[in-house]
């Protein structure tokens, strides 16, 4: 059976997180009960008010924060498999980047990668979170790299999976 792109991303992220010591073992299947279904995920959605907009996110679990950034054209639901694996070790937060998912922004809001990285900082400030284990996939990885370069003190770890890099993005 061929894994879906979301499932492959989850497995790659779990492997990278295991390399960072965040997982004692890297399982290839979701825990008992599996990841959240779409309805359950949407039911957990919250919003954080920032200067750039009303940022949608889902959080589950306890412990140090692991923040997940999705690529375009996805949203935070992309991370449900990884969140299911880590929720007993981390407070997993998957936000919807600006212009995607359920995040609400002004029509003229800048949604460049630099602006997206700024909103990550604003989001963390709004929730009172000082440091994160930051995980980025696809264009979310590009946003994560810009955030990391501008806010190194906010990172415990940085994990990039199959992502855009400088001069290698659309």
């Amino acid at each position: 059976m061929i894994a879906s792109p979301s499932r492959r991303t989850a497995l790659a992220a779990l492997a990278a997180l295991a390399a960072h010591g965040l997982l004692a073992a890297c399982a290839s299947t979701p825990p008992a009960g599996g990841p959240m279904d779409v309805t359950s995920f949407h039911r957990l959605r919250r919003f954080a008010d920032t200067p750039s907009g009303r940022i949608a996110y889902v959080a589950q679990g306890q412990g140090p924060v692991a923040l997940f950034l999705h690529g375009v054209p996805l949203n935070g639901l992309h991370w449900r498999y990884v969140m299911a694996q880590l929720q007993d070790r981390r407070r997993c937060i998957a936000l919807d980047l600006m212009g995607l998912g359920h995040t609400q922004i002004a029509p003229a809001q800048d949604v460049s990668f630099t602006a997206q990285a700024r909103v990550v900082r604003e989001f963390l400030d709004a929730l009172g979170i000082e440091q994160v284990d930051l995980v980025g996939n696809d264009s979310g990885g590009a946003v994560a790299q810009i955030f990391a370069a501008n806010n190194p003190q906010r990172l415990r770890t940085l994990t990039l999976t199959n992502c855009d890099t400088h001069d290698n993005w659309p």
Side-chain angles (χ1 to χ4, degrees):
M1 178 174 125
I2 296 175
S4 70
S6 255
R7 178 87 173 187
R8 282 193 303 269
T9 298
L11 294 175
L14 286 170
L17 291 169
H20 282 303
L22 296 180
L23 294 176
C26 180
S28 61
T29 58
M36 280 185 273
D37 60 32
V38 174
T39 302
S40 297
F41 191 86
H42 291 316
R43 194 176 306 120
L44 293 175
R45 182 172 299 106
R46 302 290 179 260
F47 293 88
D49 293 319
T50 73
S52 297
R54 198 163 177 246
I55 309 305
Y57 70 98
V58 168
Q60 69 179 109
Q62 301 279 332
V65 174
L67 180 64
F68 299 93
L69 303 180
H70 61 83
V72 174
L74 304 174
N75 61 44
L77 179 68
H78 178 72
W79 293 106
R80 69 190 180 280
Y81 292 105
V82 177
M83 291 172 73
Q85 289 284 344
L86 292 176
Q87 67 183 342
D88 62 339
R89 294 172 196 80
R90 291 286 185 269
R91 178 179 176 207
C92 298
I93 300 176
L95 60 79
D96 290 350
L97 292 172
M98 293 185 298
L100 301 162
H102 295 269
T103 287
Q104 301 164 4
I105 60 172
Q109 174 66 45
D110 177 10
V111 294
S112 67
F113 287 166
T114 302
Q116 298 282 11
R118 183 180 60 250
V119 88
V120 170
R121 180 185 44 77
E122 293 171 357
F123 174 80
L124 294 175
D125 290 347
L127 269 59
I129 298 169
E130 291 300 317
Q131 283 194 316
V132 296
D133 295 307
L134 185 60
V135 182
N137 176 253
D138 192 68
S139 47
V143 173
Q145 291 170 69
I146 294 167
F147 176 83
N150 293 329
N151 304 277
Q153 74 284 1
R154 305 293 295 263
L155 296 178
R156 268 190 308 275
T157 62
L158 174 63
T159 302
L160 304 173
T161 66
N162 191 28
C163 66
D164 300 338
T165 60
H166 176 69
D167 288 340
N168 185 22
W169 51 42

